[in-house]
Amino acid sequence: LDVEKCRRLPNTELAQLWRDHYSRRPFHVAISMSGAHFQAWMDGSQRHPTCIVPLGRHPGWETFMVQHRHQDSATCQVGFARLRDYQTYGPEGAQPVLTATAYGDFVTEGGVGLLAGSFAEGLVSREEAGALLAGCSEVYARLGEHVRLFNEQPDSFDYGAFLTAFEAVVNLEK
């Protein structure tokens, strides 16, 4: 995408163009969000680069470990692995199910945060990959106290309370 041309587009048009561009690529996913929401996510992930994200799967939830690696003030790599794989094989050995890049190039204009990534065929669907990205944004932007506990006081982290809070936030979005 031509960044300079995109800067002149309304946020909604830019977000739609972004999602359409990646929807035509196999095993890719893209989402967008408000600049404020995006910035809250990036600020939280700079303080605490790892956390967990639930994904609704029949009959319940599967938990994924997420790791952030900030490149600069506007770009961040985000990787997701199944928590059980992360616990078994460690951060280097767990197979990523989704890797994405968060682009904050358009946030400075008060606009929109953009994310795009690729997912592992057979491990998650395009819809699930999008749900992981959106869920991760909600965890960091709205559930910061849970993220803090997970990282700073893991013995005080209550997965049940976290899941209840996560479900409430996700249901607000629907």
Side-chain angles (χ1 to χ4, degrees):
L1 297 176
D2 183 327
V3 174
E4 289 311 312
K5 284 184 183 176
C6 289
R7 286 189 195 286
R8 294 188 292 266
L9 295 174
N11 290 339
T12 54
E13 195 174 323
L14 172 59
Q16 188 62 51
L17 179 68
W18 181 257
R19 288 188 303 271
D20 289 348
H21 174 74
Y22 283 96
S23 71
R24 294 186 287 273
R25 299 175 72 181
F27 312 112
H28 283 78
V29 63
I31 68 167
S32 61
M33 64 195 64
S34 75
H37 190 85
F38 180 89
Q39 196 59 55
W41 176 9
M42 292 299 108
D43 290 347
S45 66
Q46 284 184 324
R47 283 189 301 279
H48 301 293
T50 60
C51 200
I52 56 174
V53 177
L55 176 66
R57 287 191 155 169
H58 187 72
W61 296 93
E62 183 173 5
T63 305
F64 291 79
M65 189 71 176
V66 61
Q67 292 185 294
H68 296 79
R69 190 174 72 235
H70 290 266
Q71 309 294 339
D72 54 40
S73 62
T75 310
C76 177
Q77 301 292 317
V78 188
F80 296 81
R82 289 180 167 140
L83 180 60
R84 68 176 178 262
D85 292 345
Y86 188 90
Q87 291 169 325
T88 302
Y89 305 111
E92 301 301 320
Q95 179 181 8
V97 299
L98 170 63
T99 56
T101 304
Y103 300 96
D105 303 274
F106 300 98
V107 173
T108 56
E109 286 85 32
V112 62
L114 305 172
L115 288 96
S118 59
F119 57 92
E121 179 182 11
L123 296 180
V124 292
S125 67
R126 183 185 306 263
E127 292 75 23
E128 289 171 328
L132 280 170
L133 288 174
C136 187
S137 79
E138 297 298 339
V139 166
Y140 276 93
R142 297 185 185 195
L143 303 177
E145 180 60 16
H146 292 280
V147 175
R148 187 191 68 75
L149 285 173
F150 180 85
N151 284 276
E152 296 177 14
Q153 298 174 322
D155 291 340
S156 299
F157 179 77
D158 180 340
Y159 181 76
F162 167 74
L163 190 56
T164 299
F166 180 80
E167 287 176 306
V169 167
V170 171
N171 285 332
L172 286 175
E173 294 297 311
K174 291 182 179 177

